[in-house]
Amino acid sequence: MNAKVLMFHRVLPKSKFGGINAYKDRGTLISESFFESIIKKIITSKKRVLTLLDYHILQEKNEINSNDLVLTFDDGYKDNFEYVLPILEKYHLKATFYPTLKYCFEGNSSPLDAYYSIGDQLALDLEQRQDWITGEQKKHFLSLNYAGQKEFNHFLSKKHRKTPTNKALYMSVEQLKQLLSLGHEIGAHSYHHPILTQMSPEDLMEELARTANCLDLLGLPRDRTFAYPDGVYSEPIISKLKQEGYLSACTVEAKPVHSYQPFKIPRLFIHPDYDLTAI
Ligand SMILES: [Zn+2]
């Protein structure tokens, strides 16, 4: 038996979406009211809401039933603290958060945030907009490493004469600690959100060491779960995570698997047009 694992990213009141918003167009931003309607549906259908870690522990004991559900939040945007947390507390639910630790610890934003912010300032037509958010240009951006993404942003910024954002968009260390103290789970989502399969073995080791160090600094217990950045993984990556002591890891694949595979846990991507009857 498997639980349904829901995947969220950003949640904001509609009034804060602004004019053009890449996260909304990409589907990684939903409104606060839509989020609360999902939670209300979960409550009225009497689901048992678990953290990803509890899900793993109960799987080991064969105590999962089809009524079980997990709420996960990727990337660690501070809107999770401002708008998600009050709703979770209101309904007494615990969730799992997968913050991108570098940006939380440094109090800045990621190259992807900067990239989106340049596009949001431009009067692009539908096709150009699609290229920027999900098309070839976006794929090119994601294929670059951290330095390459920064360089590409610099190029776009000069070309279009727009300054990218460098606002603190992520939860602070204090906010992450508060989530922990309230009984929510924090899991690993890497240090700076690289595509893990594109890294050299040395860089991967460094990335995982930095991730573990940040989680240690948060005072996180050693039983930890992982969420693959952009959902990308391979068998060698799984072996590495097992060596590092992780108990399970979630993907971004929605297809249900019949048996529980701890390092290939599927998730349902909850976007603004998601059909709630599937929950
Ligand atoms: Zn992510």
Side-chain angles (χ1 to χ4, degrees):
M1 199 65 81
N2 288 316
K4 274 189 182 129
V5 182
L6 311 191
M7 172 178 60
F8 299 91
H9 296 81
R10 306 194 62 184
V11 177
L12 280 175
K14 270 212 173 93
S15 60
K16 298 205 181 260
F17 279 17
I20 300 172
N21 189 315
Y23 307 95
K24 184 188 81 184
D25 294 348
R26 171 72 184 86
T28 49
L29 168 63
I30 62 168
S31 72
E32 184 188 30
S33 58
F34 184 51
F35 178 66
E36 187 159 13
S37 68
I38 295 169
I39 296 300
K40 280 182 179 160
K41 177 149 196 261
I42 289 168
I43 296 289
T44 51
S45 54
K46 298 195 164 30
K47 300 274 185 201
R48 179 170 66 162
V49 178
L50 308 168
T51 63
L52 214 278
L53 181 62
D54 287 339
Y55 176 34
H56 179 74
I57 292 166
L58 291 171
Q59 273 288 6
E60 302 269 281
K61 297 184 193 165
N62 223 353
E63 289 177 10
I64 289 295
N65 65 66
S66 58
N67 203 35
D68 290 337
L69 185 136
V70 183
L71 303 167
T72 67
F73 297 84
D74 282 14
D75 301 332
Y77 285 98
K78 69 178 175 196
D79 51 58
N80 290 183
F81 190 86
E82 291 165 349
Y83 303 104
V84 169
L85 184 61
I87 294 173
L88 295 177
E89 293 301 302
K90 181 174 163 186
Y91 295 97
H92 310 288
L93 300 176
K94 302 298 173 208
T96 299
F97 295 86
Y98 289 112
T100 312
L101 295 158
K102 174 180 168 68
Y103 312 118
C104 296
F105 274 73
E106 291 181 354
N108 51 24
S109 58
S110 74
L112 181 68
D113 299 316
Y115 170 78
Y116 278 164
S117 76
I118 298 168
D120 283 357
Q121 295 175 64
L122 304 174
L124 302 174
D125 66 28
L126 207 62
E127 200 177 315
Q128 292 167 321
R129 182 89 187 131
Q130 195 258 338
D131 190 43
W132 201 287
I133 293 166
T134 55
E136 289 309 310
Q137 184 180 295
K138 172 73 177 297
K139 284 182 195 141
H140 170 68
F141 179 84
L142 289 179
S143 75
L144 302 169
N145 65 14
Y146 181 77
Q149 289 180 347
K150 289 195 97 156
E151 208 175 295
F152 189 57
N153 282 340
H154 186 66
F155 159 78
L156 290 173
S157 170
K158 272 181 78 174
K159 180 180 170 191
H160 297 287
R161 297 167 195 241
K162 298 292 176 195
T163 311
T165 186
N166 192 28
K167 281 190 292 188
L169 290 172
Y170 293 82
M171 285 186 272
S172 67
V173 169
E174 283 315 307
Q175 288 173 330
L176 293 177
K177 284 184 176 170
Q178 214 171 314
L179 290 180
L180 280 176
S181 73
L182 289 166
H184 299 282
E185 180 192 1
I186 292 182
H189 191 42
S190 80
Y191 179 66
H192 82 287
H193 214 281
I195 304 290
L196 298 177
T197 53
Q198 291 176 8
M199 301 186 96
S200 68
E202 297 75 31
D203 287 348
L204 178 65
M205 290 269 285
E206 168 87 15
E207 183 73 17
L208 292 177
R210 285 181 171 217
T211 306
N213 181 44
C214 289
L215 297 178
D216 290 345
L217 289 171
L218 290 174
L220 208 71
R222 274 293 157 142
D223 285 349
R224 295 170 184 177
T225 68
F226 199 94
Y228 305 108
D230 284 300
V232 183
Y233 64 94
S234 63
E235 293 304 326
I237 299 284
I238 292 176
S239 305
K240 192 77 208 139
L241 293 182
K242 285 181 182 168
Q243 276 172 31
E244 296 281 314
Y246 287 99
L247 299 176
S248 68
C250 35
T251 70
V252 300
E253 292 151 3
K255 62 175 189 317
V257 282
H258 294 296
S259 62
Y260 176 69
Q261 294 176 275
F263 284 83
K264 294 179 184 174
I265 298 175
R267 291 192 291 174
L268 303 173
F269 173 26
I270 310 298
H271 53 79
D273 305 316
Y274 196 80
D275 176 9
L276 294 190
T277 56
I279 295 175

